[in-house]
């Protein structure tokens, strides 16, 4: 039975942060951890099954779906909303390549959106090393404290 929705999972939270950032300005701050920004360049992931399933095909058989569901498509709105955005990724993330976060961050910077990029060169999709995890949480809460008053 198709319900028309699925529960938010591991691959969805960062994507939703990028989507929200490109679709409205109602939040005081956004934090994007391992967010999917460009659906076409997600073809660099080791998990192609998810992309092809969610987009109902490949980039060459269903390019409209990849375009429609990529936050990159709506990137021009970032400069309008100017929502302060913290972007975090692990350089060894093969599920959502770190380049997704770098593309998103560069777009924010080019549109003068207050933003910060944190790249963990020795982490994957999850930030697991104790000192990195502590830094992640400190940076996360510091960002919120700075922008949410």
């Amino acid at each position: 039975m198709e319900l028309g929705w699925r529960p938010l999972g591991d691959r969805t939270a960062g994507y939703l942060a990028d989507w929200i950032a490109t679709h409205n300005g109602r939040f005081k701050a956004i934090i994007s951890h391992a967010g999917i920004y460009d659906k076409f360049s997600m073809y660099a992931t080791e998990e192609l099954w998810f992309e092809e399933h969610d987009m109902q095909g490949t980039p060459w058989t269903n390019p409209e779906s990849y375009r429609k569901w990529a936050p990159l498509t709506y990137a021009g709105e970032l400069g309008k909303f100017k929502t302060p955005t913290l972007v975090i990724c692990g350089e060894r993330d093969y599920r959502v390549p770190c380049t997704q976060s770098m593309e998103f961050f560069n777009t924010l910077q080019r549109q003068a959106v207050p933003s910060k990029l944190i790249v963990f060169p020795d982490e994957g999709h999850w930030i697991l090393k104790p000192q990195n995890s502590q830094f992640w949480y400190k940076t996360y809460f510091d960002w919120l404290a700075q922008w949410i008053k």
Side-chain angles (χ1 to χ4, degrees):
M1 176 176 167
E2 180 62 37
L3 298 175
W5 62 274
R6 61 189 176 124
L8 297 180
D10 170 52
R11 294 172 41 88
T12 312
Y15 168 74
L16 282 178
D18 294 4
W19 185 266
I20 289 168
T22 58
H23 282 77
N24 74 65
R26 75 183 264 199
F27 297 97
K28 292 182 178 180
I30 292 175
I31 299 173
S32 171
H33 176 90
I36 297 171
Y37 181 61
D38 178 3
K39 297 300 276 180
F40 285 100
S41 64
M42 272 300 289
Y43 234 64
T45 185
E46 68 179 0
E47 297 183 344
L48 290 177
W49 183 91
F50 290 103
E51 286 306 308
E52 292 174 354
H53 173 269
D54 293 350
M55 296 299 100
Q56 300 177 349
T58 63
W60 56 92
T61 61
N62 195 359
E64 181 54 31
S65 182
Y66 282 78
R67 188 201 65 73
K68 177 182 178 183
W69 295 108
L72 170 65
T73 302
Y74 313 96
E77 300 299 306
L78 292 168
K80 179 174 92 176
F81 301 134
K82 300 263 190 229
T83 306
T85 305
L86 173 62
V87 182
I88 307 170
C89 66
E91 211 167 86
R92 293 183 179 174
D93 188 346
Y94 303 111
R95 177 169 290 177
V96 179
C98 193
T99 53
Q100 293 284 318
S101 294
M102 293 176 187
E103 288 179 50
F104 184 46
F105 175 72
N106 285 338
T107 307
L108 292 162
Q109 289 283 290
R110 297 289 286 175
Q111 295 186 51
V113 176
S115 50
K116 182 176 185 178
L117 174 66
I118 304 293
V119 177
F120 290 91
D122 58 344
E123 296 280 9
H125 195 66
W126 300 280
I127 309 305
L128 300 174
K129 294 181 178 169
Q131 69 271 24
N132 289 344
S133 183
Q134 288 177 337
F135 181 79
W136 188 98
Y137 279 101
K138 179 177 180 351
T139 305
Y140 181 99
F141 288 116
D142 286 352
W143 188 260
L144 294 177
Q146 177 181 354
W147 297 103
I148 299 175
K149 296 173 176 135

